[in-house]
């Protein structure tokens, strides 16, 4: 083994073991160890997973802008059997695209053996009636089954999970069609009434009639237009009425008074006041930070907070984003991916509702300077207790090589290993074959599809097959998987914080709403403890209206558990009573 590879292995925190297959032991796919020699992530091929779906981006010589923006993906346990299933969003009929045979979405059921079965038609999720963009998963009616909100160009769709393997389109009844062009969305409880509300990102004003020619008149070539030339639109905030319907209330707040060109949103509490705030990324326009003031009101403080513009005072092309306390100082930080030559932003929380961009000093800035980022996620890939970052990339312009030889249309993903103190090492060179291949990536979701404790990754690629990446290293450290079920607070426990102690260290994770780009993650926490032999204690800080703090000791390791608000530790998978 070369010296360089040994250095990378140390940076990546790899143990001297590798994965050589699955073994189903008591309902959990346990790894079969072998001598280490493999990458951090291996690509699960369509032949192995049986996921044969391919995204249709409706790409045409006219270069209509929505073609370049989609699509999203999700991990979800739609049948509540304890195993993560997969949902993939496709395009469909719209004013510029009328296919004879509309592309369809895909719902793949987890067979618990590393393979998946296509159950889309049976579930009623084929779609094709709107130009799909993203998937936002949440149990909005608290019946114990996750529902799916599909955003798109044209109109959006709310699919209610019937609990029997099927879904029903309830968009009209719910009042959530939201016509025109929506991108990412987030389920969260902004008013702390115990019900999930919905924030929906609005992109630019766009239609076939409003389409603007961008290209070369002499050659007669069309290019994808830069969003800067289109008018912005206000995003939407829908209040959950508790009866299956929603009321748009964003127009009564700063959300409605600040039109943008929004790609991503994450609901997070930046000032620890128990109210979830909204960080919204905008393309060629200032980012928004909507501070939740309570009583249904938000203030837009992006400029004052230092997250609206670059250090030079220029708006950037904000796309995917996330929020986490990456340095464990007790305050939630922000991350946003931008387009090439703009550098991504890692905003450190200064504890006073302002942020400082630490991209340059953290190691993120240089590695991302020529990248265009979309889906991303803070997560702990090696279960050492510290947060890492994975980033899906791809330039939106298929002709970028004609004017910039340093930038590619399809790009390689990035993987950064965090040290818990604000530094991130780029370990992409040893992350796996998928990280050495260029993709037109957009959405990204994380989730443990084989329940082995290593958090896996799903990436949706524009006009290509999706990538399913299996984590080969997470299971070599000890871990505990936790599914939180709210009773008084929202059932998905969005806004909850878990704090756990091990090996004289204390770590925390907060469940945010939304994040990434057009995608939804596995709802469970995976808490890594490295080589420690036990978790000393674990606390759950439930969100309002509960606000209760519960502490647990004598916890198991290397398995999943359920913690129900007010009812303690329950078996996994959890069946609602």
């Amino acid at each position: 083994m070369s010296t360089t590879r040994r250095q990378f292995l140390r940076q990546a925190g790899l143990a001297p073991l590798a994965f050589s297959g699955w073994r189903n032991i008591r309902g959990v796919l346990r790894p079969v160890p072998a001598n280490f020699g493999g990458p951090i992530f291996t690509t699960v091929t369509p032949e192995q997973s049986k996921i044969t779906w391919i995204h249709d981006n409706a790409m045409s010589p006219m270069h209509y802008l929505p073609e370049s923006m989609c699509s999203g993906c999700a991990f979800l346990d739609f049948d509540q059997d304890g195993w993560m299933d997969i949902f993939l969003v496709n395009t469909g009929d719209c004013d510029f695209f009328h296919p004879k045979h509309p592309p369809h979405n895909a719902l793949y059921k987890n067979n618990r053996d590393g393979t998946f079965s296509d159950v889309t038609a049976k579930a009623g999720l084929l779609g094709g009636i709107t130009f799909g963009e993203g998937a936002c998963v949440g149990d909005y009616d608290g019946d114990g089954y996750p529902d799916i909100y599909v955003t798109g160009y044209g109109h959006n769709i709310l699919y209610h999970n019937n609990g029997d393997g099927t879904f029903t389109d309830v968009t009209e009844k719910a009042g959530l069609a939201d016509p025109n062009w929506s991108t990412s969305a987030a389920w969260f409880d902004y008013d702390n009434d115990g019900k999930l509300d919905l924030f929906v990102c609005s992109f630019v004003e766009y239609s076939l009639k409003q389409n603007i020619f961008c290209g070369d008149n002499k050659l007669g070539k069309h290019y994808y237009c830069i969003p800067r030339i289109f008018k912005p639109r206000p995003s939407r905030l829908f209040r959950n009425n508790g009866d299956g319907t929603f009321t748009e209330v964003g127009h009564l707040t700063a959300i409605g008074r600040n039109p943008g060109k929004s790609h991503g949103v994450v609901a997070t509490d930046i000032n620890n006041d128990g109210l979830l705030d909204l960080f919204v990324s905008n393309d060629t326009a200032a980012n928004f930070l909507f501070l939740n003031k309570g009583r249904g009101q938000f203030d837009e403080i992006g400029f004052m907070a230092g997250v609206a513009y670059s250090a030079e005072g220029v708006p950037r092309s904000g796309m995917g984003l996330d929020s986490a306390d990456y340095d464990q100082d007790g305050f939630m930080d922000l991350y946003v991916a931008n387009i090439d030559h703009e550098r991504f932003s890692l905003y450190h929380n200064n504890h006073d509702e302002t942020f400082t961009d630490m991209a340059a000093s953290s190691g993120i800035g240089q590695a991302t300077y020529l990248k265009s980022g979309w889906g991303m996620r803070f997560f702990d890939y090696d279960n050492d207790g510290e947060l890492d970052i994975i980033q899906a990339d791809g330039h939106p312009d298929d002709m970028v090589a004609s004017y910039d030889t340093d930038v590619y249309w399809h790009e390689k993903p990035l993987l950064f290993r965090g040290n818990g103190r604000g530094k991130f090492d780029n370990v992409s060179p040893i992350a796996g074959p998928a990280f050495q291949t260029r993709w037109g990536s957009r959405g990204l979701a994380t989730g443990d599809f084989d329940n082995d404790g290593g958090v896996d990754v799903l990436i949706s690629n524009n006009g290509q097959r999706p990538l399913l990446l299996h984590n080969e290293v997470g299971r070599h450290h000890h871990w505990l998987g936790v599914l939180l079920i709210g009773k008084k607070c929202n059932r998905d426990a969005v806004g909850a914080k878990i704090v756990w102690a091990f090996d004289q260290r204390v770590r925390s994770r907060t469940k945010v709403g939304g994040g990434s780009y057009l995608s939804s993650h596995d709802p469970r926490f995976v808490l890594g403890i490295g080589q420690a032999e036990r978790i000393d204690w674990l606390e759950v800080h439930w969100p309002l209206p509960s606000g209760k703090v519960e502490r647990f000791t004598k916890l198991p390791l290397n398995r999943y558990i359920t913690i129900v608000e007010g009812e303690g530790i329950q078996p996994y998978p959890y069946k609602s009573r």
Side-chain angles (χ1 to χ4, degrees):
M1 184 183 294
S2 68
T3 301
T4 300
R5 182 166 178 79
R6 286 194 182 96
Q7 292 171 342
F8 269 123
L9 292 177
R10 284 196 296 271
Q11 287 177 333
L14 299 184
L17 292 174
F19 168 83
S20 64
W22 283 291
R23 180 178 298 155
N24 197 318
I25 301 175
R26 296 181 181 177
V28 177
L29 292 180
R30 296 295 187 190
V32 181
N35 292 326
F36 179 76
I40 300 172
F41 287 93
T42 54
T43 302
V44 184
T45 67
E47 292 74 22
Q48 294 170 323
S49 68
K50 310 305 179 186
I51 297 175
T52 58
W53 180 91
I54 297 176
H55 179 250
D56 183 347
N57 59 2
M59 192 172 184
S60 70
M62 297 299 293
H63 281 67
Y64 297 111
L65 189 57
E67 301 168 3
S68 67
M69 302 296 187
C70 47
S71 69
C73 57
F75 278 114
L76 76 163
D77 184 5
F78 81 92
D79 53 0
Q80 295 295 278
D81 67 349
W83 296 76
M84 287 298 114
D85 311 299
I86 286 174
F87 182 67
L88 300 158
V89 182
N90 218 333
T91 57
D93 189 79
C94 66
D95 56 5
F96 65 81
F97 183 50
H98 302 288
K100 184 177 181 180
H101 301 288
H104 65 83
N105 303 323
L107 177 65
Y108 281 98
K109 176 177 169 54
N110 193 325
N111 297 326
R112 314 182 195 183
D113 60 0
T115 69
F116 294 80
S117 295
D118 187 341
V119 296
T120 319
K122 179 182 177 182
L125 293 175
L126 288 173
I129 57 175
T130 190
F131 195 93
E133 290 268 343
C136 185
V137 177
D139 183 4
Y140 74 88
D141 59 351
D143 66 353
Y145 289 89
D147 311 298
I148 305 174
Y149 187 63
V150 176
T151 62
Y153 168 75
H155 67 277
N156 305 333
I157 302 173
L158 177 62
Y159 290 107
H160 177 261
N161 189 330
N162 301 319
D164 60 0
T166 69
F167 291 76
T168 299
D169 181 345
V170 296
T171 314
E172 185 176 353
K173 175 189 174 183
L176 291 176
D178 197 24
N180 207 289
W181 190 353
S182 302
T183 51
S184 297
W187 293 106
F188 76 120
D189 184 7
Y190 80 89
D191 53 359
N192 289 329
D193 65 352
K195 299 186 291 290
L196 285 180
D197 310 300
L198 181 66
F199 182 91
V200 182
C201 290
S202 293
F203 201 50
V204 299
E205 290 188 10
Y206 188 93
S207 69
L208 181 60
K209 293 180 179 179
Q210 294 173 304
N211 188 42
I212 299 171
F213 173 77
C214 298
D216 189 322
N217 283 312
K218 292 182 180 179
L219 297 177
K221 286 186 176 181
H222 292 256
Y223 302 157
Y224 289 119
C225 294
I226 298 174
R228 185 179 298 113
I229 66 176
F230 296 102
K231 294 180 179 179
R233 296 174 58 236
S235 292
R236 315 271 273 172
L237 175 62
F238 294 94
R239 184 179 188 275
N240 189 333
N241 299 322
D243 59 359
T245 69
F246 292 78
T247 300
E248 206 289 313
V249 296
H251 69 283
L252 302 174
T253 76
I255 293 169
R257 296 190 295 270
N258 288 273
K261 304 174 182 182
S262 302
H263 274 314
V265 58
V266 62
T268 180
D269 185 0
I270 68 160
N271 54 6
N272 293 336
D273 66 353
L275 299 170
L276 287 176
D277 314 298
L278 295 164
F279 181 45
V280 180
S281 59
N282 285 302
D283 195 341
T284 67
N287 296 326
F288 297 142
L289 182 55
F290 293 112
L291 186 69
N292 191 337
K293 303 296 291 184
R295 298 184 179 180
Q297 290 302 308
F298 291 82
D299 286 345
E300 202 292 294
I301 64 166
F303 177 75
M304 294 181 291
V307 300
Y309 301 101
S310 69
E312 295 73 30
V314 177
R316 290 186 277 191
S317 297
M319 295 183 283
L321 43 63
D322 201 10
S323 177
D325 181 7
Y326 70 81
D327 58 352
Q328 296 295 296
D329 67 351
F331 283 78
M332 296 293 281
D333 309 299
L334 306 172
Y335 181 103
V336 60
N338 301 304
I339 206 165
D340 63 280
H341 292 86
E342 291 184 347
R343 196 171 65 189
F344 300 178
S345 298
L346 182 65
Y347 290 115
H348 181 261
N349 193 323
N350 299 325
H351 308 178
D352 59 0
E353 298 179 1
T354 70
F355 294 79
T356 300
D357 190 350
M358 305 299 291
S361 61
S362 69
I364 298 292
Q366 182 177 0
T368 61
Y369 183 67
L370 294 177
K371 295 283 191 175
S372 297
W374 301 89
M376 61 82 53
R377 174 75 157 168
F378 283 108
F379 77 135
D380 182 6
Y381 75 79
D382 54 357
N383 283 333
D384 67 348
E386 312 297 353
L387 283 170
D388 313 305
I389 297 174
I390 189 165
Q391 176 72 57
D393 306 306
H395 201 279
D397 186 357
D398 64 324
M399 298 184 182
V400 64
S402 65
Y403 57 83
D404 193 333
T405 56
D406 293 326
V407 178
Y408 297 88
W409 177 34
H410 290 167
E411 299 177 354
K412 299 175 183 178
L414 292 172
L415 182 66
F416 297 95
R417 184 174 189 250
N419 68 359
R421 298 181 298 279
K423 299 293 184 181
F424 291 88
D425 290 321
N426 184 2
V427 295
S428 308
I430 58 166
F435 294 79
Q436 311 311 315
T437 306
R438 301 187 189 279
W439 308 89
S441 299
R442 297 295 184 266
L444 179 148
T446 60
D448 182 8
F449 77 85
D450 57 349
N451 286 349
D452 69 347
V455 181
D456 311 304
V457 178
L458 177 66
I459 299 176
S460 59
N461 297 308
N462 184 265
Q464 298 174 299
R465 66 177 177 86
L467 276 174
L468 181 59
L469 305 179
H470 182 261
N471 186 328
E472 303 293 352
V473 303
R475 64 186 173 277
H476 299 317
H477 280 156
H478 291 303
W479 58 277
L480 175 64
V482 180
L483 174 67
L484 296 182
I485 302 292
K487 288 293 185 177
K488 189 174 182 180
C489 71
N490 68 89
R491 193 182 191 281
D492 288 359
V494 177
K497 177 189 284 189
I498 288 186
V499 185
W500 73 106
F502 65 98
D503 195 24
Q504 299 183 331
R505 288 189 286 169
V506 177
R507 293 292 180 264
S508 69
R509 298 285 185 270
T510 297
K511 187 170 184 179
V512 300
S516 193
Y517 174 73
L518 305 179
S519 302
S520 288
H521 307 291
D522 184 334
R524 304 170 297 181
F525 291 88
V526 177
L527 312 176
I529 63 171
Q531 296 180 356
E533 294 298 326
R534 66 188 178 93
I535 294 176
D536 299 321
W537 53 263
L538 179 152
E539 286 183 351
V540 179
H541 296 238
W542 297 97
L544 297 171
S546 168
K548 186 176 182 180
V549 178
E550 297 182 295
R551 176 175 280 223
F552 303 93
T553 57
K554 298 181 180 179
L555 294 148
L557 286 182
N558 306 326
R559 55 172 289 192
Y560 281 95
I561 62 172
T562 306
I563 299 180
V564 180
E565 181 186 0
E567 299 178 12
I569 296 176
Q570 303 292 327
Y572 182 84
Y574 176 74
K575 298 298 182 182
S576 298
R577 293 192 296 272

